[in-house]
Amino acid sequence: MSDKKTADQDGGRPGRRAPLIAAAVAIVAALGITAAVGLGGDDTAPGTKGGAVAEVSGGTDNDKAATVLDRPFTKPDLVLTDTKGEKYDLRAATKGKPTLVYFGYTHCPDVCPLTMSNIAIARKQLPKTDQDKLQVVFVTTDPERDTAAELGKWLPAAGDPSFVGLTGDFKTIQAGARSIGIGIDPAKKEKDGSVVSMHGAQVIAFSPTTDQGYVLYGENTSADDYAKDLPKLIKGENP
């Protein structure tokens, strides 16, 4: 497994990638999924049994985009600010609803906008009633630049107007990400003026029946992959 490291300037610049330390993760690297801990702090993720360790249910099928977990993640206890500048309690707002959670940032030149676009394309293929049920939550990993207003402009263009964008205190966001096995580091400015942001690239699906994060998707998941799985995820079934 590898984490994503991206360098960008305000004008945009191709991303760079470098591995982060990953600990005790039982998902093959070929899936392109990141479940990193050990980023300079307590490696034990709250809300999981024995830390942020993802275990594959029934082995791994490389032909499938989805990875079903034996040990689902507890939904992060995050209270942040949405694009309207209002408080958003992730657990309360998405309780009993099929929910996709992704941590990324608006200046990302590649994976973040592509991921949001793929989910948006797949969502539009659902019946209207199912579209209304699905919650897609984008949590910024770069809150210094990603204000509520910035997220409000970026998300409809990159994904869909229905998507929820959240910003807030970085340490709070980092703790929430770690609780579901996602490693993120603060954005850093390089000597050449570029800004480097490092974050996990997986989408985690939470069941409407248990509110547990039970399915992982990597950065290579296509719109067709999501379109195939969303009808099952909305019912809380295994894809």
Side-chain angles (χ1 to χ4, degrees):
M1 293 189 182
S2 61
D3 268 5
K4 172 176 172 291
K5 183 176 182 181
T6 331
D8 67 276
Q9 296 177 319
D10 289 342
R13 168 180 168 180
R16 303 198 303 262
R17 297 182 188 176
L20 282 180
I21 298 173
V25 183
I27 304 175
V28 293
L31 290 173
I33 294 171
T34 309
V37 292
L39 295 175
D42 182 3
D43 289 354
T44 301
T48 62
K49 299 177 181 179
V53 179
E55 293 190 356
V56 181
S57 178
T60 301
D61 183 351
N62 290 340
D63 293 329
K64 295 183 67 175
T67 301
V68 179
L69 306 179
D70 278 338
R71 296 163 63 181
F73 291 114
T74 297
K75 190 175 291 180
D77 186 12
L78 281 174
V79 180
L80 297 169
T81 302
D82 66 16
T83 55
K84 298 177 182 178
E86 299 176 354
K87 182 175 75 173
Y88 187 96
D89 186 324
L90 179 63
R91 286 183 177 176
T94 62
K95 183 177 178 59
K97 300 176 181 179
T99 304
L100 302 180
V101 175
Y102 182 79
F103 288 81
Y105 68 116
T106 66
H107 289 76
C108 176
D110 39 40
V111 177
C112 299
L114 179 60
T115 299
M116 291 298 99
S117 175
N118 284 340
I119 294 173
I121 291 170
R123 177 184 176 274
K124 290 177 182 178
Q125 298 179 43
L126 293 168
K128 183 61 168 62
T129 53
D130 285 345
Q131 288 186 36
D132 293 340
K133 291 176 184 177
L134 182 65
Q135 308 293 300
V136 180
V137 181
F138 180 94
V139 185
T140 182
T141 59
D142 184 13
E144 185 174 339
R145 290 187 294 174
D146 286 347
T147 62
E150 185 69 20
L151 286 170
K153 290 187 296 183
W154 183 83
L155 264 181
D160 187 272
S162 70
F163 291 1
V164 176
L166 300 179
T167 188
D169 174 70
F170 177 81
K171 289 186 177 179
T172 300
I173 293 170
Q174 185 181 51
R178 282 181 172 177
S179 76
I180 52 176
I182 300 173
I184 66 174
D185 274 353
K188 296 181 180 180
K189 192 169 185 177
E190 303 281 83
K191 293 181 179 179
D192 63 0
S194 63
V195 178
V196 177
S197 183
M198 193 177 292
H199 65 90
Q202 71 267 43
V203 172
I204 299 187
F206 289 83
S207 168
T209 59
T210 66
D211 280 320
Q212 298 287 302
Y214 72 116
V215 181
L216 283 155
Y217 291 94
E219 65 182 72
N220 295 321
T221 306
S222 69
D224 287 342
D225 292 327
Y226 283 117
K228 179 181 177 181
D229 290 357
L230 282 180
K232 293 182 178 179
L233 296 179
I234 286 171
K235 298 176 183 177
E237 300 174 353
N238 287 353

